[in-house]
Amino acid sequence: PKYFLLIILMWLWGFYSAYTLEPENMLYGFFEVWQRFWILLFFWVMSNLIDSEQKLNFCILCMSIVGVFVGLTSLYERYILKQIICTGGFEHQNSAVMFCHIYGTLALSQVFNVRKSVINKMFYLLNVFLYFAIVILTLSRAGLVAFLGSLSLFSIGITMFSFSFKRFLFICCAIVGLMIFITPALDTIIQRFESAPITSRMSRVWFFRVGMEMIKANPLRGTGINNV
């Protein structure tokens, strides 16, 4: 099957990384290798199942339907249950944010697919706005920063490298629409950032610095399990 050798090599490299650096932590290494095995198995199965553009489009359509459910769940939590922080049915709001970033990108790709009908484009455009609404409703600080960065990079890229008046007009209308949507929640968003504890902000900086030092020390095989 496709990519079988590549998946095996990636798993063996993870096995080597887990057990050569910290061989005494056998239990940690087992769970790490087992988790990596299931992740690679998932990607291997999906890469063999989705072997055509038609199947890929069907997969994106199915996930977009799930996205509509997540969006409606977030709206239900916010306006019916009166929850301050919504999760969209996920265990944690950051999980909903990651879902929105991944599948929101796929939905946006369908909006700019020239072979799609107007109805399909409107459906995926609705998904994009729902994903944005979910990110806002979760009030995840990291999610909001990441989304703002992604939106900025996308706007710059689509304007510079694939410029057309229709796309430029679409981006302008989208930004205006997003600003109108975000305005009622702006005070709450600002409060979330202002109320962030110092320890939370500094811990992220510390993790980033430690991560960079780990990459510099062992760029290929890592530093082992539970060894920071």
Side-chain angles (χ1 to χ4, degrees), residues 6-16 33-34 36-38 40:
L6 177 62
I7 294 296
I8 291 297
L9 290 176
M10 292 176 64
W11 184 77
L12 290 176
W13 187 261
F15 186 88
Y16 168 78
V33 172
W34 183 248
R36 187 168 302 186
F37 168 77
W38 280 109
L40 293 175

Side-chain angles (χ1 to χ4, degrees), residues 4-204:
F4 178 76
L5 181 60
L6 177 62
I7 294 296
I8 291 297
L9 290 176
M10 292 176 64
W11 184 77
L12 290 176
W13 187 261
F15 186 88
Y16 168 78
S17 175
Y19 282 110
T20 56
L21 297 173
E22 290 291 326
E24 65 274 11
N25 291 331
M26 298 296 292
L27 184 61
Y28 286 105
F30 170 77
F31 283 112
E32 180 69 18
V33 172
W34 183 248
Q35 182 185 34
R36 187 168 302 186
F37 168 77
W38 280 109
I39 293 174
L40 293 175
L41 179 63
F42 169 79
F43 283 108
W44 178 57
V45 171
M46 294 300 291
S47 63
N48 280 272
L49 286 178
I50 306 174
D51 55 358
S52 66
E53 184 179 355
Q54 182 180 4
K55 291 182 179 179
L56 176 62
N57 291 331
F58 179 73
C59 178
I60 297 176
L61 175 63
C62 293
M63 295 312 302
S64 297
I65 295 174
V66 176
V68 172
F69 171 77
V70 175
L72 294 177
T73 303
S74 300
L75 294 173
Y76 173 78
E77 291 174 342
R78 179 65 182 92
Y79 296 106
I80 304 300
L81 300 181
K82 303 299 182 181
Q83 293 181 196
I84 302 300
I85 298 177
C86 304
T87 62
F90 291 91
E91 186 175 356
H92 194 273
Q93 66 265 31
N94 285 343
S95 300
V97 169
M98 288 188 287
F99 174 86
C100 293
H101 275 79
I102 295 172
Y103 292 105
T105 304
L106 294 177
L108 193 60
S109 70
Q110 298 300 300
V111 174
F112 287 100
N113 191 334
V114 295
R115 287 178 288 183
K116 293 293 181 182
S117 65
V118 176
I119 296 178
N120 284 332
K121 289 185 178 183
M122 293 302 295
F123 171 74
Y124 288 113
L125 186 61
L126 172 64
N127 270 265
V128 172
F129 278 98
L130 274 177
Y131 288 136
F132 177 76
I134 295 169
V135 173
I136 297 299
L137 293 173
T138 59
L139 293 179
S140 171
R141 290 183 289 262
L144 290 168
V145 172
F147 184 85
L148 181 61
S150 302
L151 183 63
S152 302
L153 290 175
F154 168 77
S155 301
I156 295 173
I158 203 67
T159 303
M160 293 180 60
F161 302 108
S162 184
F163 180 80
S164 69
F165 180 74
K166 289 184 178 180
R167 291 186 176 182
F168 179 76
L169 183 62
F170 167 79
I171 293 174
C172 292
C173 293
I175 293 176
V176 172
L178 294 177
M179 291 303 298
I180 294 175
F181 178 83
I182 201 175
T183 300
L186 192 59
D187 292 339
T188 306
I189 295 173
I190 294 175
Q191 184 180 5
R192 278 282 292 170
F193 281 95
E194 290 179 346
S195 62
I198 301 296
T199 54
S200 177
R201 285 179 282 181
M202 294 306 299
S203 64
R204 285 173 167 81

